[in-house]
Amino acid sequence: MSTENAGLARQLGYTNVRAFLGGEPAWSEAGYPVYASNDFVVKGNIVLLDLRSGDAPVQGRIPRSVNIKYEDLESRMDDIPRNAPVVLYADNLDDVTDAYEDMKDAGFNTVAMVKGNFQGWVASGGAVESGPIFSNEIKWVRKLGKGEVSVDEFRKAVKGELPDTFVIDARTPDEIKELGIFTNTVNIPLDEIPKRMNEIPKDKRVFVHCSTGARADLAYRELIKNGYDVKFLLLNISDPECDCPIIIPE
Amino acid sequence: MKLKGIVNLLPFALMLALLAAGCAQQADSTAKAPAQQTAQQADPNVYTGPIGGKSNKAKTISMTVGKGDDAKDVMLRFDDNTEGLEYAKKGEAAIIKWEQRGDDKYATIIKPKLAKLPEGVTEIKADELYKMLSDHVPMFLADARPEMRYDQGHLPSAVSIPVPLLKEKKAKVLPKDKNQLIIFYCGGYT
């Protein structure tokens, strides 16, 4: 994308055009700061962390923020879903920078800062709320991505409550022998899907799952390409959240 | 902000190279379309495009080949003899040589699709860019990714100019001064 834009700029007559091919991932990997747009801080599906200590958050904070002072961040890290986009702010550059690097190191993919910290937020006219804080619980729910089925809907299907749905388990027969298979589910390993397409009914909706969602995603692409109405489950099925009935082999 | 020591630099450089592949895929295939078509006609058993995913358990790679309405996802098997599996990373562009075995296509050699800069465009690395920003070197820094990605996290002082916007608005979204330094960045293929 950067080279495409750079090429376009050259065509438009710009003489001094450069491309930073490493881009945002290389930038943040090097520990340099990235900022979230203020609008995204207000509306995005994010975990917004206020890293300040003492009374400051009670005096004024960004709405929707959760107060975890920097000293406590490490011990609270496991309460934050790793796939959640995280936005951080503090009242000094050191805390927010350290927290940014800690979270990157801990495996958070999308971490950004509020531009200019809390002071910058206020200066830019961002909304502030004040008063007592009743909860510092993190309540973040991932929004379903393209082609994903919700766990609730998937569970209904394997319980046989959705008669027009055909559920495929894309794991290998060995995995199923060891761990069992969900009820109302047919095993077609990912690599056999192209040649066993005739076993998958065209007039039903198709759900695909595997062990974590990676193979199900690939199966989804293959089935979409072949004209199926298909969704996949992006979940580690050993996650208690799944809670789907399993047939354990004898 | 600081670099976290020299040890980080090697993987960082490697990552730059890999990301470069993803970043440039689109532009590259546009620019080199005629050459690529010739190459594909000469050797039909080569796929070029972004990797959709890789499953080690099913020994399968999914990738998107072709552009626009012709784009389709293909599935390739791989085995212990497949070379360059490390380049089959989700979201990054690769060139895969394959052979037909029975009903399945097997990847034999996987190579990263490296960035090719357009004529007259030079590359800049993170450290140099950071120094220029710190020194307040006048520049127009633009994020070429979709706006959503910009909103999630962008470089200091960057503006959002996704590829479709620049195509539509052209110089209207760029500086008036044609000699102004312009730097574009993105975030890999996605």
Side-chain angles (χ1 to χ4, degrees), chain A residues 80-155:
Chain A
I80 309 166
R82 286 294 188 278
N83 52 351
V86 178
V87 182
L88 307 166
Y89 69 94
D91 50 17
N92 66 83
L93 196 56
D94 281 350
D95 280 358
V96 81
T97 306
D98 288 348
Y100 175 77
E101 294 195 357
D102 292 348
M103 297 200 78
K104 284 267 169 194
D105 290 347
F108 289 89
N109 288 323
T110 312
V111 188
M113 306 173 189
V114 173
K115 198 177 172 187
N117 266 326
F118 186 69
Q119 299 88 323
W121 177 262
V122 174
S124 72
V128 171
E129 69 177 16
S130 59
I133 296 167
F134 298 108
S135 164
N136 64 357
E137 191 193 337
I138 291 156
K139 307 176 194 120
W140 181 84
V141 181
R142 197 174 58 86
K143 292 207 174 104
L144 292 182
K146 193 182 165 203
E148 266 182 66
V149 59
S150 71
V151 181
D152 283 346
E153 202 177 4
F154 181 82
R155 193 183 301 116

Side-chain angles (χ1 to χ4, degrees), chain B residues 9-55:
Chain B
L9 286 177
L10 187 64
F12 172 56
L14 195 72
M15 205 182 80
L16 269 180
L18 286 170
L19 285 166
C23 251
Q25 201 277 337
Q26 217 175 348
D28 185 35
S29 51
T30 315
K32 305 283 171 190
Q36 204 177 56
Q37 272 169 12
T38 322
Q40 277 177 358
Q41 278 159 13
D43 191 350
N45 288 7
V46 172
Y47 285 147
T48 302
I51 302 291
K54 177 178 72 169
S55 165

